[in-house]
Amino acid sequence: KQEVTQIPAALSVPEGENLVLNCSFTDSAIYNLQWFRQDPGKGLTSLLLIQSSQREQTSGRLNASLDKSSGRSTLYIAASQPGDSATYLCAVETSGSRLTFGEGTQLTVNP
Amino acid sequence: NAGVTQTPKFQVLKTGQSMTLQCAQDMNHNSMYWYRQDPGMGLRLIYYSASEGTTDKGEVPNGYNVSRLNKREFSLRLESAAPSQTSVYFCASSGQYSNQPQHFGDGTRLSIL
């Protein structure tokens, strides 16, 4: 059974810092890995999707990497802003378009 | 830009009552999903539908039924609600091909007393 773990569970940083969120998964037979953002009381917003054949994806200040063989992904956020405060979720897609989610990292960026 | 719309947003039920959660998407997506989100458990897949007319069980299907009414709509029914089904329920949809991100609604917050 696929298991996804995210570390740390919570992170608080001052504005302007660069930061890294970590995600690990137990079964390397994945189609892709997805990073989502969830604001309080809201649904999930897709940030980046890395296909199993890719090593990284970038969108603006966000960069996600994937090392499938070791079962790890990182989400790098450059020059963090208070508006980046949210919970960040990692999910891996296996057969039948099924996503297995981690529990998330709650990020607070302090002005 | 409606995307994925879920109704209702909040609901309180008594144990044993029944209820249907509604979900509709306007992105012409083939696949639709129902998840529940619980503290300490993350999001878990209840049921999904790869296309109109098909449904499959996910990780936690017990106590739920689903209907893919048409390409746009995918409903989740609780026949006899139990306190263990208190949760936040999310509907999502995605395109026809693999490696496309899932799009989520804002959720239904359900409390069962």
Side-chain angles (χ1 to χ4, degrees):
Chain A
K1 177 184 173 185
Q2 178 75 266
E3 293 183 1
V4 179
T5 302
Q6 291 188 245
I7 295 173
L11 181 64
S12 181
V13 300
E15 181 176 3
E17 271 205 6
N18 302 325
L19 58 100
V20 174
L21 308 181
N22 297 290
C23 173
S24 62
F25 48 96
T26 56
D27 186 348
S28 62
I30 64 171
Y31 287 101
N32 62 60
L33 183 142
Q34 302 182 35
W35 283 94
F36 294 87
R37 168 184 174 139
Q38 185 175 27
D39 293 290
K42 294 293 187 180
L44 282 66
T45 300
S46 178
L47 297 174
L48 290 165
L49 183 152
I50 311 175
Q51 298 184 27
S52 62
S53 59
Q54 297 176 323
R55 299 284 290 183
E56 65 177 338
Q57 280 287 339
T58 298
S59 176
R61 294 182 294 109
L62 305 180
N63 176 277
S65 68
L66 174 63
D67 184 341
K68 199 173 75 164
S69 61
S70 68
R72 295 182 180 181
S73 175
T74 61
L75 178 66
Y76 175 82
I77 302 177
S80 58
Q81 303 171 359
D84 294 331
S85 297
T87 297
Y88 291 80
L89 294 157
C90 163
V92 294
E93 180 176 339
T94 54
S95 62
S97 298
R98 297 175 181 233
L99 286 181
T100 302
F101 285 84
E103 291 187 41
T105 294
Q106 185 173 356
L107 173 66
T108 302
V109 181
N110 301 300
Chain B
N1 293 341
V4 179
T5 302
Q6 293 184 235
T7 56
K9 296 188 184 303
F10 303 92
Q11 185 69 48
V12 178
L13 293 178
K14 294 181 180 178
T15 298
Q17 287 185 317
S18 62
M19 172 169 192
T20 299
L21 308 185
Q22 306 286 353
C23 174
Q25 54 91 9
D26 62 2
M27 295 172 283
N28 200 34
H29 284 166
N30 281 5
S31 301
M32 297 186 74
Y33 314 83
W34 277 106
Y35 295 90
R36 60 178 290 174
Q37 185 176 35
D38 303 288
M41 303 292 289
L43 277 96
R44 292 177 292 169
L45 182 65
I46 305 171
Y47 271 94
Y48 73 103
S49 170
S51 62
E52 185 178 352
T54 68
T55 60
D56 284 288
K57 295 178 180 179
E59 183 182 354
V60 288
N62 291 345
Y64 305 96
N65 287 303
V66 291
S67 295
R68 185 71 183 269
L69 306 171
N70 48 55
K71 191 171 186 179
R72 290 187 63 249
E73 299 172 289
F74 189 37
S75 63
L76 178 72
R77 182 163 178 83
L78 286 70
E79 290 291 350
S80 180
S84 61
Q85 294 178 305
T86 293
S87 186
V88 182
Y89 291 85
F90 288 100
C91 177
S93 69
S94 66
Q96 176 179 357
Y97 304 104
S98 64
N99 290 320
Q100 294 187 346
Q102 293 187 13
H103 298 261
F104 284 75
D106 282 343
T108 294
R109 285 144 186 85
L110 182 61
S111 293
I112 300 165
L113 307 177

Coordinates of all heavy atoms in Angstrom, one line a residue, chain A residues 1 31-32 34 36 38 40-46 49-52 89 93 95-103, chain B residues 31 33 35 37 39-43 45 48 56-59 90 94 98-107 109:
Chain A
K1 N 0.8 -1.2 0.0 CA 0.0 0.0 0.0 C 0.9 1.2 0.0 O 1.8 1.4 0.8 CB -0.9 0.0 1.2 CG -1.8 1.2 1.4 CD -2.6 1.2 2.7 CE -3.3 2.5 2.9 NZ -4.0 2.5 4.2
Y31 N 2.7 7.3 -11.5 CA 2.5 8.0 -12.8 C 3.0 9.4 -12.7 O 3.6 10.0 -13.6 CB 1.1 8.0 -13.2 CG 0.6 6.6 -13.7 CD1 -0.2 5.8 -12.9 CD2 0.9 6.2 -15.0 CE1 -0.6 4.6 -13.3 CE2 0.5 4.9 -15.4 CZ -0.3 4.1 -14.6 OH -0.7 2.9 -15.0
N32 N 2.7 10.0 -11.6 CA 3.2 11.4 -11.3 C 3.1 11.8 -9.9 O 2.5 11.0 -9.1 CB 2.3 12.4 -12.2 CG 0.8 12.4 -11.8 OD1 0.5 12.7 -10.7 ND2 0.0 12.1 -12.8
Q34 N 2.0 15.2 -7.5 CA 1.4 16.5 -7.5 C 1.5 17.3 -6.2 O 1.4 16.7 -5.1 CB -0.1 16.4 -7.9 CG -0.3 15.6 -9.2 CD -1.8 15.5 -9.6 OE1 -2.6 16.4 -9.3 NE2 -2.1 14.4 -10.2
F36 N -0.2 20.4 -4.1 CA -1.4 21.2 -4.0 C -1.2 22.2 -2.8 O -0.4 22.0 -1.9 CB -2.6 20.4 -3.6 CG -3.0 19.4 -4.7 CD1 -2.5 18.2 -4.8 CD2 -4.0 19.8 -5.6 CE1 -2.9 17.3 -5.8 CE2 -4.4 18.9 -6.6 CZ -3.8 17.6 -6.7
Q38 N -3.7 24.3 0.0 CA -5.0 24.4 0.6 C -5.1 25.6 1.6 O -4.4 25.6 2.6 CB -5.4 23.1 1.3 CG -6.9 23.1 1.8 CD -7.3 21.8 2.4 OE1 -6.5 21.0 2.9 NE2 -8.6 21.5 2.3
P40 N -7.3 27.8 4.4 CA -8.4 27.4 5.4 C -9.8 27.5 4.9 O -10.2 28.5 4.3 CB -8.1 28.4 6.5 CG -6.7 28.8 6.4 CD -6.4 28.8 4.9
G41 N -10.5 26.4 5.1 CA -11.9 26.4 4.7 C -12.1 26.3 3.2 O -13.3 26.5 2.7
K42 N -11.1 26.0 2.4 CA -11.2 26.0 1.0 C -10.8 24.6 0.5 O -10.2 23.7 1.2 CB -10.3 27.0 0.4 CG -10.7 28.4 0.6 CD -12.0 28.8 0.0 CE -12.4 30.2 0.1 NZ -13.7 30.5 -0.6
G43 N -11.0 24.4 -0.8 CA -10.5 23.2 -1.5 C -9.0 23.3 -1.8 O -8.3 24.2 -1.5
L44 N -8.6 22.3 -2.6 CA -7.2 22.2 -3.0 C -7.0 22.9 -4.3 O -7.8 22.7 -5.2 CB -6.7 20.7 -3.1 CG -6.4 20.0 -1.8 CD1 -7.6 19.8 -0.9 CD2 -5.7 18.7 -2.1
T45 N -5.9 23.6 -4.4 CA -5.5 24.2 -5.7 C -4.2 23.5 -6.2 O -3.2 23.5 -5.5 CB -5.2 25.7 -5.5 OG1 -6.5 26.3 -5.1 CG2 -4.8 26.3 -6.9
S46 N -4.2 23.0 -7.4 CA -3.0 22.4 -8.0 C -1.9 23.4 -8.2 O -2.2 24.4 -8.8 CB -3.4 21.7 -9.3 OG -2.2 21.1 -9.9
L49 N 2.6 19.6 -11.2 CA 2.5 18.2 -11.5 C 3.8 17.7 -12.2 O 4.2 18.3 -13.2 CB 1.3 17.9 -12.4 CG 1.0 16.4 -12.7 CD1 -0.5 16.2 -12.9 CD2 1.8 15.9 -13.8
I50 N 4.5 16.7 -11.6 CA 5.7 16.2 -12.2 C 5.4 14.8 -12.6 O 5.1 13.9 -11.8 CB 6.9 16.2 -11.1 CG1 7.0 17.5 -10.4 CG2 8.2 15.8 -11.8 CD1 8.1 17.4 -9.3
Q51 N 5.6 14.6 -13.9 CA 5.4 13.2 -14.4 C 6.5 12.3 -14.0 O 7.6 12.8 -13.7 CB 5.3 13.3 -16.0 CG 4.1 14.1 -16.4 CD 3.9 14.1 -17.9 OE1 4.3 13.1 -18.6 NE2 3.3 15.1 -18.5
S52 N 6.3 11.0 -14.0 CA 7.3 10.1 -13.5 C 8.6 10.1 -14.3 O 9.7 9.8 -13.7 CB 6.7 8.7 -13.5 OG 6.4 8.3 -14.8
L89 N 0.1 20.2 0.3 CA -0.1 18.8 0.2 C 0.6 18.2 -1.0 O 0.6 18.7 -2.1 CB -1.6 18.5 0.1 CG -2.5 18.9 1.3 CD1 -3.9 19.1 0.9 CD2 -2.4 17.9 2.4
E93 N 0.1 9.8 -7.9 CA -0.9 9.1 -8.6 C -0.4 7.7 -9.0 O 0.7 7.6 -9.6 CB -1.2 9.9 -9.9 CG -2.3 9.2 -10.8 CD -2.7 10.1 -12.0 OE1 -2.5 11.3 -12.0 OE2 -3.2 9.5 -12.9
S95 N -2.2 3.6 -10.2 CA -3.1 3.1 -11.2 C -4.5 3.7 -11.1 O -5.0 3.9 -9.9 CB -3.1 1.6 -11.2 OG -3.6 1.2 -10.0
G96 N -5.3 3.8 -12.2 CA -6.7 4.2 -12.1 C -6.9 5.6 -11.7 O -7.9 6.0 -11.1
S97 N -5.8 6.5 -11.9 CA -6.0 7.9 -11.6 C -6.2 8.1 -10.1 O -6.8 9.1 -9.7 CB -7.1 8.6 -12.4 OG -6.8 8.5 -13.7
R98 N -5.8 7.2 -9.3 CA -5.9 7.3 -7.8 C -4.8 8.1 -7.2 O -3.6 7.9 -7.5 CB -6.0 6.0 -7.2 CG -7.1 5.1 -7.6 CD -7.0 3.7 -7.0 NE -8.1 2.8 -7.5 CZ -8.9 2.2 -6.7 NH1 -8.7 2.2 -5.4 NH2 -9.8 1.4 -7.1
L99 N -5.2 9.1 -6.4 CA -4.2 9.9 -5.7 C -4.1 9.5 -4.3 O -5.1 9.3 -3.6 CB -4.5 11.4 -5.7 CG -4.3 12.2 -7.0 CD1 -4.8 13.6 -6.9 CD2 -2.9 12.1 -7.5
T100 N -2.9 9.3 -3.8 CA -2.6 9.1 -2.3 C -2.0 10.3 -1.8 O -0.9 10.7 -2.3 CB -1.7 7.9 -2.1 OG1 -2.3 6.7 -2.7 CG2 -1.5 7.6 -0.6
F101 N -2.5 10.9 -0.8 CA -2.1 12.2 -0.2 C -1.3 12.0 1.1 O -1.5 11.1 1.9 CB -3.3 13.1 0.1 CG -4.0 13.7 -1.0 CD1 -4.9 13.0 -1.8 CD2 -3.6 15.0 -1.4 CE1 -5.6 13.6 -2.8 CE2 -4.3 15.6 -2.5 CZ -5.2 14.9 -3.2
G102 N -0.3 12.9 1.3 CA 0.3 13.1 2.6 C -0.6 14.0 3.4 O -1.6 14.5 2.9
E103 N -0.2 14.1 4.7 CA -1.1 14.9 5.6 C -0.8 16.4 5.5 O -1.6 17.2 6.1 CB -0.9 14.5 7.0 CG -1.5 13.1 7.3 CD -1.4 12.7 8.7 OE1 -1.7 13.6 9.6 OE2 -1.1 11.5 9.1
Chain B
S31 N -13.2 12.3 -15.7 CA -13.1 11.6 -14.4 C -13.5 12.5 -13.3 O -13.2 13.7 -13.2 CB -11.6 11.2 -14.2 OG -11.2 10.4 -15.2
Y33 N -14.2 12.4 -8.7 CA -13.8 11.8 -7.5 C -14.5 12.3 -6.3 O -14.8 13.5 -6.3 CB -12.3 12.0 -7.3 CG -11.4 11.8 -8.5 CD1 -11.2 12.8 -9.5 CD2 -10.7 10.6 -8.7 CE1 -10.5 12.6 -10.6 CE2 -10.0 10.4 -9.9 CZ -9.8 11.4 -10.8 OH -9.0 11.2 -11.9
Y35 N -13.6 12.5 -2.1 CA -12.6 12.3 -1.0 C -13.3 12.8 0.3 O -14.2 13.6 0.3 CB -11.4 13.2 -1.2 CG -10.5 12.8 -2.4 CD1 -10.8 13.5 -3.6 CD2 -9.5 11.9 -2.3 CE1 -10.0 13.2 -4.7 CE2 -8.7 11.6 -3.4 CZ -8.9 12.3 -4.6 OH -8.1 12.0 -5.7
Q37 N -11.7 14.3 4.1 CA -10.5 14.8 4.8 C -10.8 14.9 6.3 O -11.7 15.5 6.7 CB -10.2 16.2 4.3 CG -8.8 16.7 4.8 CD -8.5 18.1 4.2 OE1 -9.3 18.9 3.9 NE2 -7.2 18.3 4.0
P39 N -8.7 15.1 10.2 CA -7.5 15.4 10.9 C -6.7 14.1 11.2 O -7.2 13.1 11.7 CB -8.0 16.0 12.2 CG -9.3 16.6 11.9 CD -9.9 15.6 10.9
G40 N -5.4 14.2 10.9 CA -4.5 13.1 11.2 C -4.6 11.9 10.2 O -3.8 11.0 10.2
M41 N -5.5 12.0 9.2 CA -5.7 11.0 8.2 C -5.5 11.5 6.8 O -5.3 10.7 5.8 CB -7.1 10.4 8.3 CG -7.5 9.9 9.6 SD -6.6 8.4 10.1 CE -7.3 7.2 9.0
G42 N -5.4 12.8 6.6 CA -5.3 13.3 5.2 C -6.5 13.1 4.4 O -7.6 12.8 4.9
L43 N -6.4 13.3 3.1 CA -7.5 13.0 2.2 C -7.5 11.6 1.8 O -6.4 11.0 1.4 CB -7.4 13.9 0.9 CG -7.9 15.3 1.0 CD1 -6.7 16.2 1.3 CD2 -8.5 15.7 -0.3
L45 N -9.6 8.6 -0.7 CA -10.5 8.5 -1.8 C -11.7 7.5 -1.4 O -11.5 6.4 -0.9 CB -9.8 7.9 -3.0 CG -10.6 7.7 -4.3 CD1 -11.1 9.0 -4.8 CD2 -9.8 6.9 -5.3
Y48 N -14.6 6.8 -7.2 CA -14.3 7.7 -8.3 C -15.0 7.1 -9.5 O -15.5 6.0 -9.6 CB -12.8 7.8 -8.6 CG -12.1 6.6 -9.1 CD1 -11.7 6.5 -10.4 CD2 -11.7 5.5 -8.2 CE1 -11.1 5.3 -10.9 CE2 -11.1 4.4 -8.7 CZ -10.8 4.3 -10.0 OH -10.1 3.2 -10.5
D56 N -16.1 3.3 -9.4 CA -15.2 2.3 -8.7 C -15.0 2.7 -7.3 O -14.9 3.9 -7.0 CB -13.9 2.2 -9.5 CG -14.0 1.4 -10.7 OD1 -14.1 0.2 -10.7 OD2 -13.9 2.0 -11.8
K57 N -14.8 1.7 -6.4 CA -14.5 2.0 -5.0 C -13.1 2.5 -4.9 O -12.2 2.1 -5.5 CB -14.7 0.7 -4.2 CG -16.1 0.2 -4.2 CD -16.2 -1.1 -3.4 CE -17.7 -1.6 -3.4 NZ -17.8 -2.9 -2.6
G58 N -12.9 3.4 -3.9 CA -11.6 3.9 -3.5 C -11.2 3.2 -2.2 O -11.5 2.0 -2.0
E59 N -10.5 3.9 -1.4 CA -9.9 3.4 -0.1 C -11.0 3.2 1.0 O -10.8 2.2 1.7 CB -8.8 4.3 0.4 CG -8.1 3.9 1.6 CD -7.0 4.9 2.0 OE1 -6.8 5.9 1.4 OE2 -6.4 4.7 3.1
F90 N -14.8 16.4 -0.2 CA -14.3 17.1 -1.4 C -14.6 16.3 -2.7 O -14.4 15.1 -2.7 CB -12.8 17.4 -1.4 CG -12.4 18.4 -0.4 CD1 -11.9 18.1 0.9 CD2 -12.6 19.8 -0.7 CE1 -11.6 19.0 1.8 CE2 -12.3 20.7 0.3 CZ -11.7 20.4 1.5
S94 N -11.0 15.5 -13.2 CA -9.7 15.7 -14.0 C -10.0 15.2 -15.5 O -11.0 14.6 -15.8 CB -8.6 14.8 -13.5 OG -8.9 13.4 -13.5
S98 N -4.2 10.6 -18.5 CA -3.4 10.6 -17.2 C -2.5 11.8 -17.2 O -2.3 12.5 -18.2 CB -2.6 9.3 -17.1 OG -1.7 9.2 -18.1
N99 N -1.9 12.1 -16.0 CA -0.9 13.2 -15.9 C -1.6 14.5 -16.1 O -1.0 15.5 -16.6 CB 0.3 13.0 -16.8 CG 1.2 11.9 -16.4 OD1 1.4 11.7 -15.2 ND2 1.7 11.1 -17.4
Q100 N -2.9 14.6 -15.7 CA -3.5 15.9 -15.7 C -4.0 16.1 -14.2 O -4.4 15.2 -13.6 CB -4.8 15.9 -16.6 CG -4.4 15.8 -18.1 CD -5.6 16.0 -19.0 OE1 -6.7 16.0 -18.5 NE2 -5.3 16.3 -20.3
P101 N -3.8 17.4 -13.8 CA -4.1 17.7 -12.3 C -5.6 17.5 -12.0 O -6.4 17.7 -12.9 CB -3.6 19.1 -12.1 CG -3.6 19.7 -13.5 CD -3.3 18.6 -14.5
Q102 N -5.9 17.2 -10.8 CA -7.3 17.2 -10.4 C -7.6 18.6 -9.9 O -6.9 19.3 -9.3 CB -7.5 16.1 -9.3 CG -7.3 14.7 -9.8 CD -7.6 13.7 -8.7 OE1 -8.2 13.9 -7.7 NE2 -7.2 12.4 -9.0
H103 N -8.9 18.9 -10.2 CA -9.5 20.2 -9.8 C -10.5 20.0 -8.7 O -11.4 19.1 -8.9 CB -10.1 20.9 -10.9 CG -9.1 21.3 -12.0 ND1 -8.6 22.5 -12.2 CD2 -8.6 20.5 -13.0 CE1 -7.7 22.5 -13.2 NE2 -7.7 21.3 -13.7
F104 N -10.4 20.7 -7.6 CA -11.2 20.4 -6.4 C -12.3 21.5 -6.2 O -12.1 22.7 -6.5 CB -10.4 20.4 -5.1 CG -9.6 19.1 -5.0 CD1 -8.5 18.8 -5.8 CD2 -10.0 18.1 -4.1 CE1 -7.8 17.6 -5.7 CE2 -9.3 16.9 -4.0 CZ -8.2 16.7 -4.8
G105 N -13.4 21.1 -5.6 CA -14.4 22.0 -5.1 C -14.0 22.5 -3.7 O -13.0 22.1 -3.2
D106 N -14.8 23.4 -3.2 CA -14.5 24.0 -1.9 C -14.9 23.1 -0.7 O -14.7 23.5 0.5 CB -15.2 25.3 -1.7 CG -14.4 26.4 -2.5 OD1 -13.2 26.1 -2.8 OD2 -15.0 27.5 -2.8
G107 N -15.6 22.0 -0.9 CA -15.9 21.0 0.1 C -17.3 21.2 0.8 O -17.9 22.3 0.7
R109 N -18.9 20.5 4.6 CA -18.5 20.2 6.0 C -19.8 19.6 6.6 O -20.8 20.2 6.8 CB -18.1 21.5 6.7 CG -16.7 21.9 6.3 CD -16.5 23.4 6.2 NE -15.1 23.6 5.7 CZ -14.8 23.6 4.4 NH1 -15.8 23.4 3.5 NH2 -13.6 23.9 4.0

